Structures are given as structure tokens and as C-alpha cells.
């Protein structure tokens, strides 16, 4: 299709800002991006849609436009929702490089433009393939009754004789030809290997489709990208992939374009499912805030009564609950880790307890700072059990996903998880949350990129700490630590950090001084001040233990 045809389509709401002499350019595809450098995902001829999140200041504009022109894109369309209007520096840069520029009204969704371009491009290139894409589009946009991605993949099989599957980044089978039992599905091992190859290729910046030979069969992997991101690490652990049993290396451009169009349609379904989790996320966030602010158990219980029907519809008895805490850490880079951990934890726990063929997406995950916290409902256990043997177990939680996740982390990332015991009331949730956090710290102390720990692995004193009454905790920590905090506030003496380091070094003066980059005499002065302010003796085991517990409970 020609760029001129886009302007003639009123439903798209496009307004030309520059490049009137270039409107006869041919559009071969469409891509939505807010990456500062999307060139590795471009093959030429695309209409690029952007929300302008890549633009922090005017200096970012020229390099971005130059990269698009070098990749041979047909035109750029900038959304007006973020900044209210397309910046003048972007208009000027596009004019200098003769890159046609459109403004997209904030009332028009990028998905609308994407679907229109995919349908038109496929129709003009090959009539038979256009019919397939149009059927896919209608199925994907008709709601739950349309069948979701399974229908799209079945049509690929019936119309193009292609066996295909949609996989999560952990290798979970989301949709695929023959999943219903009419033929062989992919084994869990093959799914994990395909996901690992996809994540490795994504992290190393290789342009898809990626090809892999397993058991004599060749698979081509197409990324399914949902949200837009400045850094691939923000989405690599949550984006889906399309695996096709075929070698796409010798495919004509028309068929590659069709598969790219299919991935864009499935991305719409990915975003729809993500949006459907909004209610569960909000419930988890509300419960988490109540627990962390010390709300009355009755108030938390009332919120849980609202949450239970949403998470476990039709459940008559009040469930037990477990808490899972996850953290994703990257070496370097300014990445907001909380949402990354939230998406990953939702994926890992999407089917934690189900025994049937369908996934049980019933968990609620919130994020606080750099960690994600999952509230997992469990069916009520019988009177002779206390719930300790039911539910999620840390030792098996990551077994099936360790290899794909390690590939996605690519040597510069780390995932750690902690799992609490099951609790049967609102009174136990605060203890469960702290227990899961302690377990995650135990996992973080281990070697490896992907680690988990459960409540069974906690040392005895750590296991007891979450269940100490709040008033006792506050009184104990205040008596020992408040004098040090007040002194630090007035003198900036860093007595609290010094105390933590001294205990972590087992009272070794030389190791502690080296860790803090202090002279030993300076360290001795600080420790002496701590002892003077608290009337304690840090050479005594009992006093060391009191300080250790106070720091853990603070």
C-alpha cells in the first residue's frame, strides 16, 4: 500500500506534518516502538508508530530519525497522547532527512492502525494470504468467543499447512496447534529449549526470526512484543514468542510479512490478557498496603473476603493464603525492577496448583519498590492439616523455568524468590510476608542466576521473627537502635551501618574496617560510641545477638 492511502483513511486519524513529496512510498509493514534504537527490528518499508517515550530531550531526536532512515522505513507516525503535540525538533529532523511524518490523534489506538496496515499490505501482496489475515483479525477482535490465539494458529495450519505454537518466556505453552488433543503437542522439554533460544537471541540483539533444530525438526521463532520499552530487559522476561515448525530462512517476503502480522495480532491478545489482570493486581496492592501499614486484622480480613471470589470463583469456604516474593536485579542500567518482577511472577505462578489441562490464572501480584509480592489463594485444608504441606513449594517452583530464565538474564541479571508457609487468617499475612522476604534473602545468598527458598529453609531465629507481636518488636528495636539513629541524624556518624557491617563480619576488626574503608582506630571509636549510647558490650555474644535481632526486626 502507499502512504497516500493512509491519509485517505479517515478512521486512522492521521495528519501529515511533513513529507508531502514522499507519499508514493510503499508500506511493507508496521512496527510500534519506543526503543531509542529500534534498527535491529526493522527490515525496511515499515510505518513506524511511536509514543515518543524514547525522547528525553531534543538531543535524542536527530539520532533516532537517522537510525530510521538508515533502516529504510517508509514513514514515522508519532502519537500526541504523551506530549500533547509532536515536538518541533522532530518535525525539523524528519524534514532534513526527507522522512514522511504523521501525527496520530490521541483518540486513535496504535492497534487500529496496525490492524489496518497488516490487512492492506497482506491483501495487496497475496490475495490468499490476505484472506487468512482478515480471518485472524476478526477472530482475535471478537472477544473471548473468538477463541484467542488458538484460532489464529489453527488457521495457519489449515490454510498454510504450518504447525505453530505461542509460548511464554518461561516455555509455558499458551496456545498451539493440536493442543486440544487432536495431535501431538510440543513436549515441555522442547518448549523450554525454544524459549531459552528465543531469550538468548533477544538479549544478544539478533533479528528474528531465530531458527533452531531440535530432534530433527527445524523451528523458526518470531518475537511477540507487547508493551513498548526503552530497554529490552524491561520486557524480555514477559514477552511471548511464536514458534513455527518450519525453516523461515528461505521464505519469500510475503510469507514473512504474514507471520509478522500474525505476531502483531497475537500481541493484542497478550495485552488483553495483561489488562484482565488489573483487578487482581489492584486487590493485591490494597491488601499489601493494609498489611504493611499495620492495619487491623479485621480490615484486612474484609478485603480478603472481597478478593476470594475474584481469585477463586465459586469457592464456598474461606481459603488459606501463601505469599511469594520475587526480585529481579540487573547489573547496571536504569530499569524499574518492580514491574519486571511483577510480570515474571505472574508468569511463573500462572498455573501453580492446577491439575487439569487449562491454566489457573488466579494469583494476585503487586509490586512495591524493586520487589513483586504475590498473594496466592489455596483451597481450605481439612482440620487435620495446618496447610504447611499444601500449596507452592520453593524447591519445585523454578525447576521447569530455570534454563529459559537463565538465558533471558544473560549473565547480567538475577532472579530470587521466597515462599512463605500457608496461613489461614488475616492475622497471619504480615508474618507470611516477612517470612517470604526472609526466604528470598536466603535465596539471594546462594550462587546462581535463578534461586528460590521456602519457609522450611529458614534458620530458627528468622522463622520466629515474623510472628513476634508488633508492640514487642517496636519496643525492642527502639530501646537498642533509637539512640543510634538519633545520633546519626544529628552527627551523620553512620553508627547503624557500622553496626550492621561489624556484625556481618563476625566482630572482625580488620575485615569490617576493610569493608567500610576505614582505619581500624576509626572503627574502634565508632563501636565504642555505639556501646556508650546503648550501654551494651559488643564483645559479649548476648549483646551481639540482641543487636542482630533488632536490626532484623527494624
Amino acid at each position: 500500500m502507499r502512504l497516500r492511502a493512509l491519509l485517505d483513511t479517515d478512521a486512522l486519524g492521521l495528519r501529515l506534518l511533513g513529507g508531502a513529496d514522499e507519499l508514493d512510498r510503499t508500506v511493507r509493514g508496521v512496527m510500534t516502538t519506543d526503543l531509542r534504537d529500534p534498527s535491529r527490528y526493522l527490515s525496511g518499508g515499515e510505518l513506524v508508530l511511536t509514543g515518543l517515550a524514547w525522547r528525553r530531550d531534543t538531543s535524542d531526536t536527530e539520532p533516532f530519525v537517522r537510525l530510521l532512515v538508515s533502516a529504510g522505513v517508509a514513514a514515522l507516525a508519532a502519537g500526541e497522547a504523551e506530549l500533547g503535540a509532536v515536538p518541533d525538533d522532530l518535525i525539523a529532523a524528519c524534514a532534513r532527512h526527507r522522512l514522511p511524518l504523521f501525527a496520530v490523534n490521541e483518540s486513535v489506538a496504535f492497534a487500529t492502525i496496525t490492524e489496518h496496515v497488516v490487512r492492506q499490505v497482506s491483501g495487496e501482496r497475496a490475495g490468499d494470504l490476505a484472506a487468512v489475515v482478515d480471518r485472524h483479525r476478526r477472530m482475535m477482535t471478537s472477544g473471548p468467543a473468538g477463541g484467542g490465539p488458538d484460532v489464529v494458529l489453527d488457521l495457519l495450519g489449515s490454510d498454510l499447512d504450518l504447525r505453530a505454537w505461542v509460548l511464554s518466556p518461561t516455555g509455558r505453552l499458551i496456545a498451539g496447534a493440536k493442543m486440544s488433543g487432536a495431535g501431538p503437542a510440543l513436549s515441555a522439554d522442547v518448549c523450554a529449549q525454544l524459549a531459552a533460544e528465543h531469550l538468548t537471541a533477544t538479549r544478544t540483539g539478533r533479528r528474528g526470526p531465530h531458527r533452531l533444530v531440535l530432534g530433527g525438526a527445524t523451528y523458526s521463532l518470531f518475537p511477540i512484543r507487547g508493551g513498548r520499552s526503552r530497554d529490552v530487559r524491561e520486557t524480555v522476561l514477559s514477552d511471548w514468542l511464536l514458534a513455527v515448525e518450519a525453516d523461515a530462512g528461505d521464505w519469500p517476503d510475503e510469507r514473512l510479512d504474514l507471520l509478522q502480522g500474525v505476531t502483531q495480532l497475537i500481541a493484542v491478545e497478550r495485552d488483553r490478557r495483561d489488562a484482565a489482570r488489573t483487578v487482581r493486581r489492584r486487590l493485591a496492592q490494597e491488601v499489601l498496603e493494609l498489611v504493611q501499614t499495620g492495619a487491623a486484622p479485621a480490615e484486612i480480613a474484609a478485603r480478603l473476603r472481597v478478593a476470594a471470589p475474584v481469585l477463586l470463583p465459586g469457592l464456598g469456604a474461606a481459603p488459606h493464603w501463601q505469599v511469594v516474593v520475587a526480585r529481579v536485579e540487573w547489573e547496571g542500567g536504569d530499569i524499574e525492577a518492580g514491574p519486571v518482577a511483577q510480570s515474571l511472577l505472574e508468569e511463573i505462578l500462572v498455573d501453580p496448583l492446577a491439575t487439569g489441562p487449562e491454566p489457573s490464572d488466579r494469583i494476585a501480584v503487586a509490586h512495591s519498590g524493586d520487589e513483586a509480592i504475590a498473594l496466592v489463594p489455596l483451597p481450605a485444608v481439612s482440620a487435620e492439616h495446618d496447610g504447611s504441606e499444601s500449596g507452592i513449594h520453593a524447591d519445585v517452583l523454578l525447576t521447569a523455568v530455570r534454563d529459559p530464565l537463565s538465558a533471558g538474564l544473560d549473565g547480567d541479571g538475577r532472579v530470587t524468590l521466597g515462599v512463605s508457609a500457608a496461613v489461614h487468617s488475616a492475622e497471619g499475612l504480615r508474618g507470611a510476608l516477612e517470612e517470604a522476604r526472609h526466604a528470598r534473602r536466603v535465596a539471594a545468598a546462594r550462587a546462581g542466576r535463578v534461586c528460590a527458598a521456602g519457609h522450611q529453609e529458614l534458620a530458627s531465629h528468622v522463622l520466629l521473627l515474623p510472628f513476634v507481636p508488633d508492640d514487642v518488636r517496636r519496643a525492642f528495636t527502639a530501646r537498642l537502635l533509637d539512640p543510634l539513629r538519633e545520633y546519626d541524624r544529628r552527627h551523620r556518624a553512620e553508627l547503624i551501618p557500622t553496626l550492621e557491617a561489624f556484625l556481618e563480619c563476625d566482630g572482625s576488626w580488620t575485615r569490617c574496617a576493610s569493608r567500610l574503608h576505614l582505619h581500624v582506630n576509626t572503627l574502634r571509636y565508632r563501636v565504642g560510641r555505639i556501646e556508650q549510647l546503648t550501654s551494651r558490650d559488643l564483645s559479649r555474644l548476648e549483646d551481639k545477638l540482641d543487636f542482630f535481632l533488632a536490626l532484623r526486626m527494624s
Side-chain angles (χ1 to χ4, degrees), residues 286-346:
E286 292 173 356
V287 173
L288 174 63
E289 290 174 1
L290 291 174
V291 171
Q292 294 193 130
T293 56
E299 186 178 359
I300 300 174
R303 203 72 206 122
L304 290 177
R305 285 194 293 273
V306 174
V310 175
L311 303 180
L312 289 178
L315 185 68
H320 287 61
W321 302 91
Q322 264 184 295
V323 175
V324 182
V325 172
R327 188 163 186 166
V328 177
E329 298 171 287
W330 302 102
E331 297 173 6
D334 184 15
I335 299 174
E336 190 178 359
V340 178
Q342 182 181 46
S343 296
L344 177 61
L345 195 51
E346 286 173 335

Side-chain angles (χ1 to χ4, degrees), residues 58-105:
T58 57
S59 65
D60 293 330
T61 301
E62 180 70 16
F64 181 79
V65 172
R66 191 182 302 118
L67 287 168
L68 296 187
V69 172
S70 298
V73 305
L76 175 65
E80 296 179 318
E82 182 75 16
L83 301 179
V86 178
D88 292 339
D89 54 277
L90 180 58
I91 297 174
C94 289
R96 281 195 299 273
H97 293 278
R98 300 180 62 83
L99 178 65
L101 175 64
F102 299 95
V104 182
N105 190 278

Side-chain angles (χ1 to χ4, degrees), residues 196-220:
E197 172 64 21
H198 163 73
L199 292 174
T200 298
T202 300
R203 287 304 314 276
T204 55
R206 298 190 343 240
R207 181 178 297 180
H210 320 301
R211 287 173 288 166
L212 180 65
V213 178
L214 290 175
T218 300
Y219 299 91
S220 296

Side-chain angles (χ1 to χ4, degrees), residues 172 322 324 345-355 358-364 374-378 390-393 396-397:
R172 178 173 60 88
Q322 264 184 295
V324 182
L345 195 51
E346 286 173 335
E347 165 56 32
I348 292 174
L349 296 175
V350 73
D351 189 19
L353 302 169
T355 56
E358 295 299 323
S360 177
D361 193 0
R362 62 190 183 186
I363 48 89
L375 186 65
V376 183
L378 311 175
S390 63
I392 301 169
H393 293 268
V396 298
L397 189 61

Side-chain angles (χ1 to χ4, degrees), residues 265-311:
L265 293 176
I266 297 176
V268 174
E269 172 68 8
R270 162 76 175 79
D271 293 341
R272 185 189 69 78
R273 293 193 184 187
D274 189 64
R277 289 173 170 162
T278 301
V279 173
R280 291 190 293 276
R281 287 175 173 175
R282 186 173 67 248
L283 286 171
Q285 198 71 46
E286 292 173 356
V287 173
L288 174 63
E289 290 174 1
L290 291 174
V291 171
Q292 294 193 130
T293 56
E299 186 178 359
I300 300 174
R303 203 72 206 122
L304 290 177
R305 285 194 293 273
V306 174
V310 175
L311 303 180

Side-chain angles (χ1 to χ4, degrees), residues 338-493:
V340 178
Q342 182 181 46
S343 296
L344 177 61
L345 195 51
E346 286 173 335
E347 165 56 32
I348 292 174
L349 296 175
V350 73
D351 189 19
L353 302 169
T355 56
E358 295 299 323
S360 177
D361 193 0
R362 62 190 183 186
I363 48 89
V365 184
H367 68 84
S368 176
D370 289 338
E371 69 180 7
I373 300 160
L375 186 65
V376 183
L378 311 175
V381 297
S382 58
E384 62 268 21
H385 294 90
D386 63 358
S388 61
E389 297 303 320
S390 63
I392 301 169
H393 293 268
D395 55 348
V396 298
L397 189 61
L398 297 178
T399 300
V401 301
R402 192 178 304 277
D403 289 344
L405 287 182
S406 297
L409 296 168
D410 190 36
D412 66 346
R414 195 151 191 258
V415 172
T416 52
L417 289 91
V419 182
S420 78
V423 296
H424 59 82
S425 66
E427 288 86 347
L429 272 183
R430 174 167 180 149
L433 174 58
E434 295 202 24
E435 191 175 69
R437 281 174 167 161
H438 285 312
R440 192 207 64 78
R441 294 188 189 103
V442 171
R446 296 172 176 164
R449 291 287 171 185
V450 183
C451 298
H455 63 97
Q456 304 94 333
E457 304 174 62
L458 299 180
S460 58
H461 72 275
V462 178
L463 184 61
L464 291 173
L465 287 182
F467 302 101
V468 176
D470 287 348
D471 55 345
V472 176
R473 295 159 62 95
R474 285 192 292 268
F476 183 76
T477 58
R479 186 177 301 115
L480 282 174
L481 301 183
D482 279 3
L484 306 182
R485 290 176 178 139
E486 177 61 21
Y487 192 88
D488 281 348
R489 186 186 66 79
R490 288 188 287 110
H491 300 284
R492 298 182 181 179

Side-chain angles (χ1 to χ4, degrees), residues 163-215:
R163 281 165 42 89
W165 302 264
V166 177
L167 304 177
S168 77
T170 63
R172 178 173 60 88
L173 192 58
I174 296 169
K178 312 305 181 186
M179 274 188 70
S180 61
L186 290 181
S187 68
D189 182 60
V190 170
C191 288
Q193 291 184 67
L194 293 176
E197 172 64 21
H198 163 73
L199 292 174
T200 298
T202 300
R203 287 304 314 276
T204 55
R206 298 190 343 240
R207 181 178 297 180
H210 320 301
R211 287 173 288 166
L212 180 65
V213 178
L214 290 175

